[in-house]
Amino acid sequence: MIGLMHFLVLAGIVFTIGLLGMVLNRNNLIAILMCLELMLLAININFVAIDRYLDLVDGQIMVFFILAIAAAEAAIGLAIFIVLYQRYASIETEKFAQLKG
């Protein structure tokens, strides 16, 4: 039977993959955005698993808020990527040093 610990370990692995992806890959903005989404997914897994274990719905409500924030973050992030790609013809982070004011 799959218990709470299995879900918590899975969420820990997914969060670690996302964190390592953000730390090790600082060049590609799309990869950084995808790693951030993985980290948010791991948080959602934790909320749902703990709520299922405790027979509550509070964490599941929080998951809806996190999903809304993730969707808004993805939409805004992709819009910024499109504008930056049109201006610099690249999405590598080293090319954006000129944006510092």
Side-chain angles (χ1 to χ4, degrees), residues 64-99:
F64 288 120
F65 287 117
I66 293 172
L67 288 175
I69 290 170
E73 174 255 334
I76 292 170
L78 290 176
I80 291 171
F81 294 158
I82 290 171
V83 170
L84 290 175
Y85 186 77
Q86 287 175 350
R87 180 167 179 157
Y88 296 105
S90 175
I91 55 171
E92 293 181 6
T93 55
E94 291 93 17
K95 304 255 175 147
F96 306 136
Q98 300 170 5
L99 295 177

Side-chain angles (χ1 to χ4, degrees), residues 9-19 35 37-39 41-42 45:
V9 169
L10 173 68
I13 291 170
V14 171
F15 191 86
T16 304
I17 290 170
L19 185 65
C35 291
E37 294 290 334
L38 275 176
M39 293 168 69
L41 174 70
I45 291 171

